[in-house]
Amino acid sequence: MNQEVLTLWPELEWIQDEGLRNKTAKTWELALEKSVLTANDLYRIPFTLLCGPDLKVSFMTHKRCVVHLAKKSGETMNEFFKDQLPVDMDVLISGAILADVGKLLEYELDEQDMAVRGTYGKYLRHPFSGVSLAEQCGVPPAVCHIIAAHAGEGDMIKRSTEAYIVHHADFMTFLPFTSRLQY
Ligand SMILES: [Fe+2]
């Protein structure tokens, strides 16, 4: 596995199936190859462009938080619901790691080295570019479905259990940053 990707994503080790783990890592490797962003930029740029330039939560901090929340949620659901609502942990973790991989193609850097949405990203949001990258690396449909459905686009279709988990882990850690009741 590519060392740069493994350093970004120690959570790859949680994927039990070696084939899926390698395909997940390969997708990130391909995204970094194609992106104007480097791995180091991902520790620097804010996780969303919607909170202005002062947001201190980096892309990697948010993405890793979502993966940790998704894993804990899946484990808790498996513990309580057992075979009534089985969660495939490998599919869930791979999907959570890959949900925003397409953002590496969505962004461009402006003159101040700040991330902005580029022309490609305006035409193809990251759920689409993410699926494209993942399919090139042999990632299976159950995981590509999570990438496709994790954001608002997924509201138009029926989500798998694993996609629901990633969607909510993502949004519960996004919406309070952009819009929350404060008193
Ligand atoms: Fe996203």
Side-chain angles (χ1 to χ4, degrees), residues 36-37 45-46 49 103-122:
V36 297
L37 303 175
I45 62 169
L49 303 178
K103 280 200 174 173
L104 271 72
L105 305 189
E106 209 176 272
Y107 290 164
E108 286 176 5
L109 291 174
D110 67 11
E111 308 80 54
Q112 281 87 43
D113 254 8
M114 295 302 294
V116 292
R117 183 164 290 128
T119 306
Y120 179 91
K122 286 177 186 162

Side-chain angles (χ1 to χ4, degrees), residues 128-150:
F128 302 96
S129 46
V131 168
S132 169
L133 289 165
E135 286 211 306
Q136 288 176 64
C137 298
V139 170
V143 175
C144 287
H145 167 77
I146 297 175
I147 304 170
H150 81 276

Side-chain angles (χ1 to χ4, degrees), residues 76-93:
T76 306
M77 286 165 71
N78 275 336
E79 181 188 343
F80 281 87
F81 302 143
K82 301 188 169 61
D83 61 357
Q84 292 302 296
L85 194 69
V87 178
D88 185 320
M89 292 303 297
D90 267 8
V91 165
L92 174 66
I93 293 164

Side-chain angles (χ1 to χ4, degrees), residues 5-168:
V5 171
L6 199 52
T7 304
L8 272 181
W9 285 110
E11 294 78 9
L12 280 162
E13 301 288 5
W14 292 344
I15 302 172
Q16 301 289 311
D17 182 279
E18 195 187 345
L20 182 59
R21 193 189 318 131
N22 288 334
K23 288 168 185 172
T24 307
K26 216 172 120 199
T27 307
W28 268 93
E29 203 180 319
L30 178 63
L32 283 164
E33 259 171 52
K34 287 175 170 267
S35 182
V36 297
L37 303 175
T38 64
N40 278 340
D41 288 327
L42 304 180
Y43 298 109
R44 175 180 72 77
I45 62 169
F47 82 92
T48 173
L49 303 178
L50 300 176
C51 288
D54 295 331
L55 180 69
K56 298 286 182 290
V57 182
S58 74
F59 183 92
M60 279 318 293
T61 300
H62 184 264
K63 301 315 143 200
R64 292 187 63 212
C65 175
V66 168
V67 175
H68 283 244
L69 280 172
K71 177 172 181 274
K72 285 174 181 160
S73 303
E75 285 168 350
T76 306
M77 286 165 71
N78 275 336
E79 181 188 343
F80 281 87
F81 302 143
K82 301 188 169 61
D83 61 357
Q84 292 302 296
L85 194 69
V87 178
D88 185 320
M89 292 303 297
D90 267 8
V91 165
L92 174 66
I93 293 164
S94 172
I97 290 175
L98 291 176
D100 274 349
V101 72
K103 280 200 174 173
L104 271 72
L105 305 189
E106 209 176 272
Y107 290 164
E108 286 176 5
L109 291 174
D110 67 11
E111 308 80 54
Q112 281 87 43
D113 254 8
M114 295 302 294
V116 292
R117 183 164 290 128
T119 306
Y120 179 91
K122 286 177 186 162
Y123 278 120
L124 292 169
R125 261 173 45 80
H126 64 278
F128 302 96
S129 46
V131 168
S132 169
L133 289 165
E135 286 211 306
Q136 288 176 64
C137 298
V139 170
V143 175
C144 287
H145 167 77
I146 297 175
I147 304 170
H150 81 276
E153 289 87 346
D155 295 344
M156 306 293 288
I157 60 166
K158 200 180 280 286
R159 288 185 173 98
S160 68
T161 306
E162 293 80 9
Y164 267 121
I165 296 171
V166 174
H167 167 66
H168 285 287

